[in-house]
């Protein structure tokens, strides 16, 4: 499984991981809902289970993915500050639909 993350998202996520309540945790990417041909995604702090795969990125952040959910392979996490602050989690390999977080 693969996860891509843009530079500004990596910086924001690393800041969250540095907080005291995040010690020993990673970010889990998960499907919140599926509508027809596309899924909506979100992320939260969590710890891996036996059903998960820990995926390393080129930005030194590891993500937890449910290894049985094919909608998670190829996730792209982006964070934008302009025109407004927003998180965008997409899976280009599963269509162009995305979730603003």
């Amino acid at each position: 499984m693969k996860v891509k993350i843009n530079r500004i998202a990596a910086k924001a996520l690393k800041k969250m991981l540095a907080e005291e309540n995040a010690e020993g945790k990673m970010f889990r990417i998960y499907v919140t809902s599926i509508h027809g041909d596309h899924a909506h995604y979100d992320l939260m702090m969590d710890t891996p289970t036996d059903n998960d795969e820990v995926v390393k990125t080129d930005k030194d952040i590891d993500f937890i993915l449910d290894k049985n959910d094919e909608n998670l392979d190829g996730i792209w996490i982006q964070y934008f500050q302009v025109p407004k602050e927003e998180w965008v989690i997409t899976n280009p390999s599963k269509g162009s639909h995305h979730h603003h977080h």
Side-chain angles (χ1 to χ4, degrees), residues 3 7 9 18 30 37 43 52 59-60 71 76 80 87 100:
V3 175
R7 187 174 39 99
Y30 61 99
D37 65 344
L43 54 91
D52 296 323
K59 305 287 190 290
D60 296 322
N71 290 300
W76 188 15
F80 298 101
W87 290 92
H100 295 272

Side-chain angles (χ1 to χ4, degrees), residues 5 12 34 46 52 73 82 85-86 91-92:
I5 180 170
I34 297 177
D46 202 2
D52 296 323
D73 189 21
V82 177
E85 284 190 44
E86 69 177 333
N91 190 334

Side-chain angles (χ1 to χ4, degrees), residues 13-99:
L13 292 174
K14 284 179 182 178
K15 187 175 179 181
M16 288 182 223
L17 287 171
E19 294 175 6
E20 190 173 315
N21 63 341
E23 190 172 331
K25 300 216 173 177
M26 291 183 249
F27 286 102
R28 173 182 297 279
I29 305 168
Y30 61 99
V31 174
T32 59
S33 62
I34 297 177
H35 299 284
D37 65 344
H38 69 278
H40 294 258
Y41 307 94
D42 208 342
L43 54 91
M44 66 179 179
M45 288 196 178
D46 202 2
T47 53
T49 69
D50 291 341
N51 294 327
D52 296 323
E53 180 177 337
V54 175
V55 178
K56 299 191 179 303
T57 67
D58 63 347
K59 305 287 190 290
D60 296 322
I61 297 179
D62 297 341
F63 290 93
I64 305 167
L65 304 178
D66 180 335
K67 59 186 170 189
N68 298 312
D69 191 339
E70 65 182 36
N71 290 300
L72 297 173
D73 189 21
I75 289 290
W76 188 15
I77 301 170
Q78 299 173 84
Y79 180 65
F80 298 101
Q81 293 179 317
V82 177
K84 62 180 180 177
E85 284 190 44
E86 69 177 333
W87 290 92
V88 178
I89 304 172
T90 60
N91 190 334
S93 68
K94 302 293 181 192
S96 61
H97 301 281
H98 59 273
H99 173 72

